[in-house]
Amino acid sequence: MSSTEISSLHADIEKPTAGAVLGADELTAEEETIMKSYLRKVDIRIALFLCLGYIGVFLNRGALVFGKVDGMEKHLGLKGTQYNTLMALFYPTFLVFQIPLNFVCRKIGARKHLPAMLLIAGTMSVGALGARNFQGMIAIRLLEGFAQAGFISSLYFTFGLWYPRRYLAPRLGFAMSSGAFAGIVHNLVNLGFAKIHTNKPTYAWQFQYLFVGLFAIVTGIYGAVVIRDYPDTAGFLRDEERELIGRLMSRNKLQASTDHKISGKQVIQGLTDWRLLAFMVLDFANNYAASSAGNWSPVILKSIGYSTSTTMALLLVPSAVGALVTVSSGLYIRKYGNIAFYQILFSLLSTVTVLIAVAGVRNNTARTVAVVLFPIFAGPACLVGPTWLNVNMRGVDKSAISNALAIIGTNFGVLSNSYAYLNTDAPRYIKGNSSNFGMFAVAIIIALVLQFSYKRENRKFAEQESAGGSETGFRNVY
């Protein structure tokens, strides 16, 4: 495979200009009006559904986390590492079906695929009410992993079908911040459910599973009504809107064709692209750390001695602030493009919070401060990998493959974190907290390597152009 083929997976087809590093297309005043109308319609239908679906996925995933606080272990009679096993069992089916389901979405279209995945996930959550032991929850978790693989693996691909690169980063920021909004919803719901007595036939954790299941089902039904497969088949768009978006997307080779198939050769190209492998490692590190913050914060606060109500109230702060930081970061990256700097900054800030937790392991105040601050820095860093990958990529098929492979790295990170915090290490969880230091170091190193590589490639392109040669490459965002 030639260097041109490899670099094309991450090539930004537009030249960056001051204040618009993502390659903004120059539009006339009339075209700007058409584009605003297009974005308004697509934001309400496509982006809103994808964000609600992302919230549904994270509510579904987080139900087990908050279930531990709400008495699930006692109700199901879980012992030893069985809770950790349930957390980990989600990911085998998630990882196995990640790429195949991405191809299914590419073949049958997002309108059928994405709502179906949410309906399956929601049905499994509602089905958890019938679980009576560890074995009963195993099937639930495996099927949840299958459904969420189908939705998550196709989310970035679907965004890429509808938004030119100029408008993509902030929408990705909003979508990824939806995970933090899911944390807010979980905390508010648990504040109410915490008052339910656990000696009743129905436990608080079951009410939570019922809520998240119904949310996913309703969102899936909404998606089946509003979403369409491609802009050129969307009846809610005017002819001039379809013409303009088709022209802009085809300029970046992002226009999808319903009869084009993804080849095995493209998959091999993705697996042999060192930059894509670097993004997979970056996503692994970021999501391992974010899982430490998101999955274990309620458990650690409970181990300090806080009541369930106080724990949920304390976690509202990092959930709300983390959501705002993630949204702001999406806008920041779009405007300035200093993606490597953003990654390094938040890795360093996360390191400081974990240092507080480890150094102050015998001080409950220090541990509380660290637990509250950690999600604010570790969670938004997860925006880096998907945004950086997508703004430096052209071609809808390459987008589907690259995002599927990158998300595999993401979920290996979360899977590895499932056994980082064991009951035998309670209440201080020193091993789990300390394991994050390696993740921060890896994220910083990968960010520096990618930044150096992209800078060098851009300099090479600039030198070729200044020498009077024709433009042979595409400028990269770093």
Side-chain angles (χ1 to χ4, degrees), residues 42-53 159 163 219 222:
V42 175
D43 285 345
I44 292 174
R45 287 174 171 263
I46 309 301
L48 178 60
F49 164 67
L50 292 175
C51 287
L52 288 174
F159 266 112
Y163 292 99
T219 303
Y222 169 75

Side-chain angles (χ1 to χ4, degrees), residues 135-157:
Q135 289 75 20
M137 283 298 295
I138 288 177
I140 297 292
R141 291 292 288 172
L142 290 173
L143 289 172
E144 284 178 340
F146 168 85
Q148 291 197 30
F151 186 87
I152 295 291
S153 65
S154 304
L155 181 137
Y156 304 113
F157 164 73

Side-chain angles (χ1 to χ4, degrees), residues 25-39 166-167 238 240-241 243-245 247-248 251:
D25 294 286
E26 293 295 333
L27 301 177
T28 65
E30 181 181 0
E31 288 173 335
E32 286 284 1
T33 301
I34 296 173
M35 178 56 69
K36 288 179 181 178
S37 174
Y38 170 84
L39 291 174
R166 175 182 180 181
Y167 308 98
R238 303 195 311 270
E240 57 265 33
E241 292 168 342
E243 188 279 329
L244 175 61
I245 197 64
R247 175 156 45 87
L248 294 178
R251 187 179 303 174

